[in-house]
Every structure is written in structure tokens, then in C-alpha cells.
Short mmCIF file of all heavy atoms in Angstrom, two decimals:
data_model
loop_
_atom_site.label_atom_id
_atom_site.label_comp_id
_atom_site.label_asym_id
_atom_site.label_seq_id
_atom_site.Cartn_x
_atom_site.Cartn_y
_atom_site.Cartn_z
N MET G 1 21.66 -29.30 -11.34
CA MET G 1 20.56 -28.38 -11.58
C MET G 1 19.83 -28.05 -10.29
O MET G 1 19.44 -26.98 -10.05
CB MET G 1 19.62 -28.91 -12.61
CG MET G 1 18.55 -28.00 -13.04
SD MET G 1 17.89 -28.65 -14.57
CE MET G 1 16.91 -27.28 -15.13
N LEU G 2 19.66 -29.10 -9.42
CA LEU G 2 18.93 -28.90 -8.18
C LEU G 2 19.76 -28.01 -7.21
O LEU G 2 19.23 -27.18 -6.49
CB LEU G 2 18.65 -30.25 -7.51
CG LEU G 2 17.55 -31.05 -8.20
CD1 LEU G 2 17.35 -32.38 -7.45
CD2 LEU G 2 16.22 -30.34 -8.21
N ARG G 3 21.04 -28.26 -7.26
CA ARG G 3 21.96 -27.44 -6.34
C ARG G 3 21.89 -25.97 -6.74
O ARG G 3 21.70 -25.10 -5.92
CB ARG G 3 23.39 -27.94 -6.45
CG ARG G 3 24.35 -27.16 -5.61
CD ARG G 3 25.82 -27.67 -5.71
NE ARG G 3 26.32 -27.70 -7.03
CZ ARG G 3 26.81 -26.66 -7.76
NH1 ARG G 3 26.86 -25.50 -7.16
NH2 ARG G 3 27.25 -26.76 -8.97
N ILE G 4 21.99 -25.67 -8.03
CA ILE G 4 21.93 -24.28 -8.50
C ILE G 4 20.54 -23.69 -8.28
O ILE G 4 20.38 -22.53 -7.82
CB ILE G 4 22.42 -24.23 -9.97
CG1 ILE G 4 23.81 -24.63 -10.17
CG2 ILE G 4 22.13 -22.87 -10.58
CD1 ILE G 4 24.29 -24.81 -11.53
N GLY G 5 19.54 -24.48 -8.62
CA GLY G 5 18.13 -24.02 -8.40
C GLY G 5 17.83 -23.73 -6.95
O GLY G 5 17.19 -22.76 -6.60
N GLY G 6 18.38 -24.56 -6.11
CA GLY G 6 18.20 -24.37 -4.63
C GLY G 6 18.88 -23.07 -4.17
O GLY G 6 18.31 -22.32 -3.33
N LYS G 7 20.08 -22.81 -4.68
CA LYS G 7 20.76 -21.55 -4.33
C LYS G 7 19.98 -20.37 -4.85
O LYS G 7 19.81 -19.34 -4.14
CB LYS G 7 22.18 -21.53 -4.86
CG LYS G 7 22.84 -20.18 -4.54
CD LYS G 7 24.33 -20.31 -4.58
CE LYS G 7 25.05 -19.00 -4.34
NZ LYS G 7 24.38 -17.96 -3.67
N LEU G 8 19.50 -20.43 -6.11
CA LEU G 8 18.65 -19.30 -6.66
C LEU G 8 17.43 -19.09 -5.85
O LEU G 8 17.06 -17.94 -5.62
CB LEU G 8 18.32 -19.63 -8.09
CG LEU G 8 19.51 -19.52 -9.11
CD1 LEU G 8 19.03 -20.06 -10.46
CD2 LEU G 8 20.02 -18.16 -9.25
N LEU G 9 16.80 -20.18 -5.42
CA LEU G 9 15.60 -20.09 -4.67
C LEU G 9 15.91 -19.48 -3.30
O LEU G 9 15.18 -18.58 -2.84
CB LEU G 9 14.94 -21.45 -4.44
CG LEU G 9 13.60 -21.50 -3.74
CD1 LEU G 9 12.58 -20.69 -4.58
CD2 LEU G 9 13.14 -22.93 -3.59
N LYS G 10 16.95 -19.84 -2.66
CA LYS G 10 17.39 -19.30 -1.41
C LYS G 10 17.64 -17.80 -1.54
O LYS G 10 17.21 -16.97 -0.72
CB LYS G 10 18.61 -20.05 -0.82
CG LYS G 10 19.05 -19.60 0.49
CD LYS G 10 20.28 -20.34 0.99
CE LYS G 10 20.84 -19.85 2.26
NZ LYS G 10 21.97 -20.56 2.73
N ASP G 11 18.38 -17.42 -2.54
CA ASP G 11 18.64 -16.02 -2.80
C ASP G 11 17.40 -15.20 -3.09
O ASP G 11 17.27 -14.11 -2.61
CB ASP G 11 19.60 -15.89 -3.97
CG ASP G 11 21.02 -16.44 -3.68
OD1 ASP G 11 21.30 -16.70 -2.45
OD2 ASP G 11 21.79 -16.60 -4.60
N SER G 12 16.46 -15.82 -3.81
CA SER G 12 15.23 -15.11 -4.09
C SER G 12 14.36 -14.89 -2.82
O SER G 12 13.76 -13.86 -2.64
CB SER G 12 14.45 -15.92 -5.19
OG SER G 12 13.37 -15.19 -5.67
N HIS G 13 14.38 -15.94 -1.95
CA HIS G 13 13.63 -15.80 -0.71
C HIS G 13 14.24 -14.59 0.15
O HIS G 13 13.45 -13.84 0.63
CB HIS G 13 13.76 -17.05 0.14
CG HIS G 13 12.73 -18.13 -0.21
ND1 HIS G 13 11.47 -18.08 0.27
CD2 HIS G 13 12.83 -19.26 -0.89
CE1 HIS G 13 10.79 -19.14 -0.13
NE2 HIS G 13 11.57 -19.89 -0.86
N ALA G 14 15.51 -14.56 0.14
CA ALA G 14 16.20 -13.52 0.93
C ALA G 14 15.94 -12.15 0.32
O ALA G 14 15.69 -11.15 1.05
CB ALA G 14 17.70 -13.75 0.95
N ALA G 15 15.86 -12.04 -1.01
CA ALA G 15 15.64 -10.77 -1.71
C ALA G 15 14.21 -10.33 -1.40
O ALA G 15 13.97 -9.15 -1.10
CB ALA G 15 15.87 -10.87 -3.13
N VAL G 16 13.28 -11.26 -1.40
CA VAL G 16 11.87 -10.95 -1.11
C VAL G 16 11.74 -10.41 0.30
O VAL G 16 11.06 -9.38 0.59
CB VAL G 16 10.94 -12.07 -1.41
CG1 VAL G 16 9.54 -11.88 -0.87
CG2 VAL G 16 10.90 -12.39 -2.86
N ARG G 17 12.37 -11.11 1.25
CA ARG G 17 12.26 -10.68 2.65
C ARG G 17 12.98 -9.37 2.87
O ARG G 17 12.53 -8.52 3.73
CB ARG G 17 12.90 -11.79 3.56
CG ARG G 17 12.01 -12.97 3.65
CD ARG G 17 12.54 -13.91 4.73
NE ARG G 17 11.74 -15.18 4.70
CZ ARG G 17 12.08 -16.34 4.21
NH1 ARG G 17 13.30 -16.40 3.66
NH2 ARG G 17 11.38 -17.31 4.26
N ALA G 18 14.06 -9.06 2.12
CA ALA G 18 14.75 -7.78 2.28
C ALA G 18 13.89 -6.64 1.80
O ALA G 18 14.10 -5.51 2.26
CB ALA G 18 16.11 -7.87 1.55
N GLU G 19 13.09 -6.89 0.74
CA GLU G 19 12.27 -5.79 0.20
C GLU G 19 11.16 -5.40 1.19
O GLU G 19 10.84 -4.25 1.25
CB GLU G 19 11.68 -6.22 -1.17
CG GLU G 19 12.64 -6.27 -2.31
CD GLU G 19 12.00 -6.86 -3.62
OE1 GLU G 19 10.78 -7.02 -3.60
OE2 GLU G 19 12.79 -7.03 -4.52
N ASN G 20 10.53 -6.36 1.79
CA ASN G 20 9.40 -6.04 2.67
C ASN G 20 9.36 -7.09 3.82
O ASN G 20 9.73 -8.23 3.62
CB ASN G 20 8.11 -6.29 1.89
CG ASN G 20 7.97 -5.31 0.74
OD1 ASN G 20 8.69 -5.44 -0.23
ND2 ASN G 20 7.02 -4.42 0.81
N GLU G 21 8.90 -6.55 4.92
CA GLU G 21 8.68 -7.54 6.01
C GLU G 21 7.48 -8.38 5.72
O GLU G 21 7.46 -9.58 5.97
CB GLU G 21 8.35 -6.75 7.30
CG GLU G 21 9.63 -6.20 8.01
CD GLU G 21 10.48 -7.35 8.48
OE1 GLU G 21 10.01 -8.29 9.20
OE2 GLU G 21 11.71 -7.34 8.29
N VAL G 22 6.39 -7.79 5.21
CA VAL G 22 5.20 -8.59 4.82
C VAL G 22 5.12 -8.57 3.32
O VAL G 22 5.24 -7.56 2.69
CB VAL G 22 3.92 -7.83 5.38
CG1 VAL G 22 2.65 -8.62 4.97
CG2 VAL G 22 4.02 -7.78 6.91
N VAL G 23 4.96 -9.74 2.74
CA VAL G 23 4.91 -9.91 1.28
C VAL G 23 3.54 -9.62 0.86
O VAL G 23 2.59 -10.35 1.10
CB VAL G 23 5.40 -11.30 0.90
CG1 VAL G 23 5.36 -11.47 -0.60
CG2 VAL G 23 6.79 -11.63 1.41
N GLU G 24 3.43 -8.47 0.13
CA GLU G 24 2.21 -8.13 -0.43
C GLU G 24 2.31 -8.06 -1.96
O GLU G 24 3.31 -7.53 -2.44
CB GLU G 24 1.72 -6.72 0.11
CG GLU G 24 1.39 -6.69 1.60
CD GLU G 24 0.27 -7.61 1.93
OE1 GLU G 24 -0.62 -7.84 1.16
OE2 GLU G 24 0.24 -8.11 3.12
N LYS G 25 1.29 -8.46 -2.64
CA LYS G 25 1.40 -8.47 -4.15
C LYS G 25 1.60 -7.09 -4.73
O LYS G 25 2.21 -6.96 -5.74
CB LYS G 25 0.16 -9.06 -4.71
CG LYS G 25 0.08 -10.55 -4.42
CD LYS G 25 -1.19 -11.17 -4.95
CE LYS G 25 -1.33 -12.62 -4.52
NZ LYS G 25 -2.53 -13.24 -4.89
N SER G 26 1.10 -6.03 -4.13
CA SER G 26 1.28 -4.69 -4.66
C SER G 26 2.66 -4.12 -4.51
O SER G 26 2.97 -3.11 -5.11
CB SER G 26 0.26 -3.75 -3.94
OG SER G 26 0.57 -3.68 -2.56
N SER G 27 3.49 -4.79 -3.74
CA SER G 27 4.86 -4.27 -3.45
C SER G 27 5.97 -4.97 -4.30
O SER G 27 7.11 -4.77 -4.05
CB SER G 27 5.18 -4.36 -1.99
OG SER G 27 5.28 -5.74 -1.60
N TRP G 28 5.59 -5.79 -5.27
CA TRP G 28 6.59 -6.55 -6.00
C TRP G 28 7.40 -5.60 -6.89
O TRP G 28 6.86 -4.86 -7.64
CB TRP G 28 5.91 -7.62 -6.82
CG TRP G 28 5.18 -8.63 -6.00
CD1 TRP G 28 5.10 -8.69 -4.65
CD2 TRP G 28 4.45 -9.72 -6.47
NE1 TRP G 28 4.37 -9.79 -4.25
CE2 TRP G 28 3.92 -10.41 -5.40
CE3 TRP G 28 4.08 -10.22 -7.70
CZ2 TRP G 28 3.10 -11.49 -5.45
CZ3 TRP G 28 3.34 -11.27 -7.87
CH2 TRP G 28 2.86 -11.96 -6.67
N LYS G 29 8.69 -5.73 -6.79
CA LYS G 29 9.63 -4.94 -7.66
C LYS G 29 10.28 -5.77 -8.75
O LYS G 29 10.32 -5.30 -9.85
CB LYS G 29 10.67 -4.27 -6.76
CG LYS G 29 10.01 -3.32 -5.79
CD LYS G 29 11.09 -2.74 -4.82
CE LYS G 29 10.38 -1.83 -3.80
NZ LYS G 29 11.24 -1.50 -2.72
N ARG G 30 10.76 -6.91 -8.40
CA ARG G 30 11.43 -7.73 -9.37
C ARG G 30 10.43 -8.52 -10.15
O ARG G 30 9.37 -8.99 -9.52
CB ARG G 30 12.36 -8.64 -8.64
CG ARG G 30 13.48 -7.91 -7.87
CD ARG G 30 14.27 -8.85 -7.03
NE ARG G 30 15.23 -9.51 -7.82
CZ ARG G 30 15.98 -10.54 -7.33
NH1 ARG G 30 15.87 -10.91 -6.08
NH2 ARG G 30 16.79 -11.14 -8.17
N LYS G 31 10.65 -8.72 -11.47
CA LYS G 31 9.68 -9.32 -12.29
C LYS G 31 10.09 -10.63 -13.00
O LYS G 31 9.41 -11.15 -13.86
CB LYS G 31 9.22 -8.37 -13.42
CG LYS G 31 8.62 -7.01 -12.90
CD LYS G 31 7.36 -7.24 -12.18
CE LYS G 31 6.84 -5.87 -11.74
NZ LYS G 31 5.58 -5.88 -11.01
N ASP G 32 11.22 -11.20 -12.53
CA ASP G 32 11.61 -12.45 -13.15
C ASP G 32 10.74 -13.59 -12.64
O ASP G 32 10.12 -13.48 -11.60
CB ASP G 32 13.12 -12.71 -12.81
CG ASP G 32 13.39 -12.91 -11.30
OD1 ASP G 32 13.59 -11.80 -10.70
OD2 ASP G 32 13.35 -14.06 -10.86
N LEU G 33 10.68 -14.63 -13.37
CA LEU G 33 9.75 -15.77 -13.07
C LEU G 33 9.99 -16.35 -11.73
O LEU G 33 8.99 -16.57 -10.90
CB LEU G 33 9.87 -16.81 -14.18
CG LEU G 33 8.90 -18.02 -14.00
CD1 LEU G 33 7.45 -17.55 -13.98
CD2 LEU G 33 9.18 -19.02 -15.08
N LEU G 34 11.24 -16.54 -11.27
CA LEU G 34 11.45 -17.17 -10.02
C LEU G 34 10.99 -16.23 -8.82
O LEU G 34 10.31 -16.67 -7.90
CB LEU G 34 12.87 -17.49 -9.79
CG LEU G 34 13.27 -18.19 -8.52
CD1 LEU G 34 12.45 -19.52 -8.37
CD2 LEU G 34 14.73 -18.53 -8.48
N SER G 35 11.29 -14.95 -8.97
CA SER G 35 10.87 -13.95 -7.98
C SER G 35 9.30 -13.93 -7.88
O SER G 35 8.74 -13.82 -6.80
CB SER G 35 11.42 -12.61 -8.24
OG SER G 35 12.77 -12.60 -8.18
N LEU G 36 8.64 -13.93 -9.05
CA LEU G 36 7.17 -13.97 -9.03
C LEU G 36 6.59 -15.16 -8.40
O LEU G 36 5.69 -15.10 -7.62
CB LEU G 36 6.67 -13.84 -10.47
CG LEU G 36 6.97 -12.49 -11.21
CD1 LEU G 36 6.50 -12.57 -12.61
CD2 LEU G 36 6.29 -11.36 -10.43
N LEU G 37 7.18 -16.37 -8.67
CA LEU G 37 6.69 -17.62 -7.99
C LEU G 37 6.99 -17.55 -6.50
O LEU G 37 6.08 -17.96 -5.76
CB LEU G 37 7.39 -18.77 -8.63
CG LEU G 37 7.01 -19.27 -10.02
CD1 LEU G 37 7.95 -20.28 -10.51
CD2 LEU G 37 5.58 -19.80 -9.97
N VAL G 38 8.12 -17.06 -6.13
CA VAL G 38 8.42 -16.99 -4.67
C VAL G 38 7.51 -16.05 -3.94
O VAL G 38 6.92 -16.41 -2.92
CB VAL G 38 9.92 -16.66 -4.43
CG1 VAL G 38 10.21 -16.32 -2.97
CG2 VAL G 38 10.82 -17.82 -4.92
N ARG G 39 7.31 -14.92 -4.53
CA ARG G 39 6.41 -13.87 -3.89
C ARG G 39 5.01 -14.33 -3.77
O ARG G 39 4.31 -14.23 -2.78
CB ARG G 39 6.52 -12.57 -4.64
CG ARG G 39 7.70 -11.78 -4.36
CD ARG G 39 7.59 -10.46 -4.98
NE ARG G 39 8.86 -9.75 -4.82
CZ ARG G 39 9.91 -9.79 -5.65
NH1 ARG G 39 9.79 -10.45 -6.76
NH2 ARG G 39 10.95 -9.13 -5.36
N ALA G 40 4.48 -14.96 -4.83
CA ALA G 40 3.14 -15.49 -4.87
C ALA G 40 3.00 -16.63 -3.80
O ALA G 40 2.00 -16.63 -3.06
CB ALA G 40 2.78 -15.99 -6.20
N ASN G 41 4.02 -17.37 -3.63
CA ASN G 41 4.01 -18.50 -2.71
C ASN G 41 4.16 -17.99 -1.23
O ASN G 41 3.68 -18.68 -0.32
CB ASN G 41 5.11 -19.48 -2.95
CG ASN G 41 4.82 -20.78 -2.45
OD1 ASN G 41 3.71 -21.36 -2.45
ND2 ASN G 41 5.89 -21.48 -1.95
N MET G 42 4.77 -16.78 -1.07
CA MET G 42 4.95 -16.19 0.31
C MET G 42 3.91 -15.19 0.66
O MET G 42 4.01 -14.68 1.75
CB MET G 42 6.37 -15.62 0.34
CG MET G 42 7.51 -16.53 0.25
SD MET G 42 9.11 -15.69 0.16
CE MET G 42 9.19 -14.98 1.78
N ALA G 43 3.00 -14.97 -0.20
CA ALA G 43 1.96 -13.91 0.04
C ALA G 43 1.16 -14.17 1.28
O ALA G 43 0.84 -15.27 1.61
CB ALA G 43 1.02 -13.76 -1.20
N GLY G 44 0.99 -13.07 2.01
CA GLY G 44 0.26 -13.19 3.29
C GLY G 44 -1.16 -13.63 3.19
O GLY G 44 -1.71 -14.21 4.10
N ASP G 45 -1.74 -13.41 2.05
CA ASP G 45 -3.18 -13.76 1.90
C ASP G 45 -3.32 -15.19 1.34
O ASP G 45 -4.48 -15.65 1.09
CB ASP G 45 -3.95 -12.76 1.01
CG ASP G 45 -3.30 -12.68 -0.38
OD1 ASP G 45 -2.21 -13.12 -0.60
OD2 ASP G 45 -3.98 -12.10 -1.29
N LEU G 46 -2.27 -15.91 1.20
CA LEU G 46 -2.27 -17.30 0.71
C LEU G 46 -2.33 -18.24 1.89
O LEU G 46 -1.40 -18.18 2.72
CB LEU G 46 -1.09 -17.61 -0.18
CG LEU G 46 -1.01 -18.95 -0.81
CD1 LEU G 46 -2.15 -19.15 -1.85
CD2 LEU G 46 0.31 -19.21 -1.49
N PRO G 47 -3.34 -19.06 2.03
CA PRO G 47 -3.43 -20.00 3.18
C PRO G 47 -2.23 -20.99 3.07
O PRO G 47 -1.88 -21.40 2.04
CB PRO G 47 -4.72 -20.76 2.90
CG PRO G 47 -5.54 -19.90 2.01
CD PRO G 47 -4.58 -19.11 1.14
N PRO G 48 -1.71 -21.31 4.24
CA PRO G 48 -0.54 -22.26 4.31
C PRO G 48 -0.79 -23.54 3.59
O PRO G 48 0.15 -24.10 3.02
CB PRO G 48 -0.30 -22.46 5.76
CG PRO G 48 -0.95 -21.28 6.45
CD PRO G 48 -2.04 -20.84 5.61
N ASN G 49 -2.00 -24.03 3.55
CA ASN G 49 -2.27 -25.35 2.87
C ASN G 49 -2.23 -25.22 1.35
O ASN G 49 -2.28 -26.21 0.63
CB ASN G 49 -3.55 -25.96 3.35
CG ASN G 49 -4.78 -25.09 2.99
OD1 ASN G 49 -4.69 -23.95 2.77
ND2 ASN G 49 -5.97 -25.80 3.00
N GLN G 50 -2.17 -23.97 0.85
CA GLN G 50 -2.11 -23.81 -0.58
C GLN G 50 -0.76 -23.45 -1.08
O GLN G 50 -0.53 -23.21 -2.27
CB GLN G 50 -3.12 -22.71 -1.03
CG GLN G 50 -4.54 -23.15 -0.88
CD GLN G 50 -5.53 -22.11 -1.34
OE1 GLN G 50 -5.17 -21.06 -1.80
NE2 GLN G 50 -6.77 -22.42 -1.23
N ARG G 51 0.27 -23.32 -0.20
CA ARG G 51 1.60 -22.96 -0.61
C ARG G 51 2.26 -24.14 -1.26
O ARG G 51 2.02 -25.29 -0.88
CB ARG G 51 2.42 -22.54 0.63
CG ARG G 51 1.85 -21.24 1.27
CD ARG G 51 2.73 -20.82 2.42
NE ARG G 51 2.06 -19.83 3.29
CZ ARG G 51 1.99 -18.57 2.99
NH1 ARG G 51 2.64 -18.07 1.93
NH2 ARG G 51 1.31 -17.72 3.75
N MET G 52 3.16 -23.88 -2.25
CA MET G 52 3.97 -24.87 -2.90
C MET G 52 5.22 -25.12 -2.08
O MET G 52 5.77 -24.21 -1.44
CB MET G 52 4.35 -24.45 -4.29
CG MET G 52 3.18 -24.28 -5.21
SD MET G 52 3.70 -23.98 -6.95
CE MET G 52 4.33 -22.35 -6.82
N SER G 53 5.70 -26.31 -2.14
CA SER G 53 7.02 -26.67 -1.55
C SER G 53 8.09 -25.94 -2.41
O SER G 53 7.89 -25.61 -3.58
CB SER G 53 7.24 -28.14 -1.45
OG SER G 53 7.37 -28.69 -2.77
N ASP G 54 9.31 -25.83 -1.85
CA ASP G 54 10.40 -25.28 -2.66
C ASP G 54 10.67 -26.11 -3.88
O ASP G 54 11.00 -25.59 -4.97
CB ASP G 54 11.67 -25.21 -1.81
CG ASP G 54 11.60 -24.05 -0.76
OD1 ASP G 54 10.71 -23.23 -0.82
OD2 ASP G 54 12.46 -24.07 0.13
N GLU G 55 10.54 -27.42 -3.79
CA GLU G 55 10.71 -28.31 -4.92
C GLU G 55 9.66 -27.98 -5.98
O GLU G 55 10.04 -28.03 -7.18
CB GLU G 55 10.69 -29.79 -4.47
CG GLU G 55 11.82 -30.23 -3.57
CD GLU G 55 11.62 -29.81 -2.16
OE1 GLU G 55 10.48 -29.47 -1.73
OE2 GLU G 55 12.66 -29.82 -1.40
N ASP G 56 8.49 -27.77 -5.60
CA ASP G 56 7.43 -27.47 -6.60
C ASP G 56 7.73 -26.10 -7.26
O ASP G 56 7.52 -25.96 -8.51
CB ASP G 56 6.04 -27.38 -5.97
CG ASP G 56 5.53 -28.76 -5.61
OD1 ASP G 56 5.93 -29.75 -6.22
OD2 ASP G 56 4.61 -28.85 -4.72
N VAL G 57 8.17 -25.13 -6.48
CA VAL G 57 8.51 -23.86 -7.11
C VAL G 57 9.66 -23.99 -8.14
O VAL G 57 9.56 -23.44 -9.26
CB VAL G 57 8.88 -22.81 -6.00
CG1 VAL G 57 9.47 -21.55 -6.60
CG2 VAL G 57 7.73 -22.47 -5.08
N LEU G 58 10.68 -24.77 -7.74
CA LEU G 58 11.74 -24.97 -8.68
C LEU G 58 11.31 -25.73 -9.96
O LEU G 58 11.77 -25.37 -11.05
CB LEU G 58 12.87 -25.73 -8.04
CG LEU G 58 13.82 -24.99 -7.12
CD1 LEU G 58 14.81 -25.88 -6.42
CD2 LEU G 58 14.48 -23.89 -7.84
N ALA G 59 10.45 -26.69 -9.75
CA ALA G 59 9.96 -27.45 -10.90
C ALA G 59 9.16 -26.64 -11.84
O ALA G 59 9.27 -26.70 -13.03
CB ALA G 59 9.08 -28.65 -10.39
N ARG G 60 8.37 -25.70 -11.27
CA ARG G 60 7.53 -24.79 -12.07
C ARG G 60 8.42 -23.82 -12.87
O ARG G 60 8.31 -23.58 -14.07
CB ARG G 60 6.53 -23.97 -11.30
CG ARG G 60 5.55 -24.73 -10.53
CD ARG G 60 4.56 -25.43 -11.37
NE ARG G 60 3.40 -25.98 -10.64
CZ ARG G 60 3.45 -27.14 -9.97
NH1 ARG G 60 4.56 -27.76 -9.94
NH2 ARG G 60 2.43 -27.56 -9.36
N GLN G 61 9.43 -23.32 -12.20
CA GLN G 61 10.38 -22.35 -12.83
C GLN G 61 11.16 -23.07 -13.89
O GLN G 61 11.33 -22.50 -15.00
CB GLN G 61 11.32 -21.77 -11.75
CG GLN G 61 12.08 -20.55 -12.20
CD GLN G 61 13.33 -20.86 -12.88
OE1 GLN G 61 13.92 -21.83 -12.70
NE2 GLN G 61 13.70 -19.92 -13.69
N CYS G 62 11.63 -24.26 -13.68
CA CYS G 62 12.42 -24.95 -14.68
C CYS G 62 11.47 -25.32 -15.89
O CYS G 62 11.92 -25.23 -17.08
CB CYS G 62 13.03 -26.23 -14.15
SG CYS G 62 14.35 -25.89 -12.89
N PHE G 63 10.28 -25.75 -15.62
CA PHE G 63 9.31 -26.13 -16.68
C PHE G 63 9.04 -24.88 -17.61
O PHE G 63 9.04 -25.02 -18.85
CB PHE G 63 8.06 -26.66 -16.05
CG PHE G 63 6.96 -26.92 -17.14
CD1 PHE G 63 7.06 -28.02 -17.85
CD2 PHE G 63 5.95 -26.06 -17.36
CE1 PHE G 63 6.08 -28.39 -18.80
CE2 PHE G 63 4.95 -26.36 -18.26
CZ PHE G 63 5.00 -27.47 -19.02
N PHE G 64 8.82 -23.72 -16.98
CA PHE G 64 8.42 -22.59 -17.80
C PHE G 64 9.62 -21.90 -18.45
O PHE G 64 9.48 -21.08 -19.32
CB PHE G 64 7.67 -21.53 -16.96
CG PHE G 64 6.29 -22.01 -16.61
CD1 PHE G 64 5.96 -22.21 -15.24
CD2 PHE G 64 5.35 -22.16 -17.57
CE1 PHE G 64 4.63 -22.59 -14.94
CE2 PHE G 64 4.04 -22.63 -17.24
CZ PHE G 64 3.74 -22.84 -15.95
N SER G 65 10.82 -22.25 -18.02
CA SER G 65 12.02 -21.69 -18.61
C SER G 65 12.43 -22.24 -19.94
O SER G 65 13.12 -21.70 -20.72
CB SER G 65 13.23 -21.79 -17.68
OG SER G 65 13.02 -21.04 -16.48
N PHE G 66 11.89 -23.45 -20.22
CA PHE G 66 12.25 -24.13 -21.49
C PHE G 66 11.30 -23.78 -22.48
O PHE G 66 10.60 -23.55 -23.04
CB PHE G 66 12.35 -25.59 -21.23
CG PHE G 66 13.51 -26.02 -20.48
CD1 PHE G 66 13.36 -26.42 -19.16
CD2 PHE G 66 14.81 -25.94 -20.89
CE1 PHE G 66 14.46 -26.83 -18.32
CE2 PHE G 66 15.88 -26.27 -20.12
CZ PHE G 66 15.67 -26.73 -18.83
#
């Protein structure tokens, strides 16, 4: 599960970066839970000390998926 989740997270990071150079909440196109978590975590207005680790993002996504 961690291997697959890690790949999904990596793909989601790449997709977010491909959509925009700067991640802004108003520019979100994909609406799946993982993409929303990744974008919120990468938002430029989020202080670095408030960002979740990749493990936390995966844990939240797995928790809310069930």
C-alpha cells in the first residue's frame, strides 16, 4: 500500500507542477482527494512549518478513502 501510495503521490506532485509553476488555490483543476491534499500542501501561501510530510498526506488520503 505504501509503494502504490508513494507512486500516486509522486505522480500527483508532478501533475500539480505541470499545471502551474506557482501553486495557487484558484488554479486547481483536478478535484480528487489526493490532488486536493497535494495542492493544499504545496500552496505558496502555506508557511513551510505548516506543511505535511508525504507520509502524512498519504495517511490522510487513505483514512478518508475508507
Side-chain angles (χ1 to χ4, degrees):
M1 188 165 191
L2 289 176
R3 180 181 54 82
I4 293 169
K7 176 158 178 23
L8 289 172
L9 186 61
K10 183 179 175 183
D11 292 347
S12 190
H13 275 282
V16 168
R17 287 190 186 103
E19 287 177 6
N20 299 64
E21 281 293 313
V22 177
V23 179
E24 296 297 332
K25 292 178 183 173
S26 62
S27 66
W28 298 358
K29 295 176 184 165
R30 299 171 77 189
K31 303 292 184 186
D32 62 274
L33 182 59
L34 183 57
S35 294
L36 293 174
L37 284 169
V38 168
R39 282 188 186 91
N41 202 41
M42 293 174 65
D45 60 346
L46 183 67
N49 65 338
Q50 292 183 358
R51 297 183 195 276
M52 294 187 292
S53 67
D54 287 348
E55 292 80 17
D56 287 337
V57 171
L58 283 176
R60 301 291 189 281
Q61 195 272 334
C62 291
F63 175 77
F64 288 117
S65 294
F66 291 107

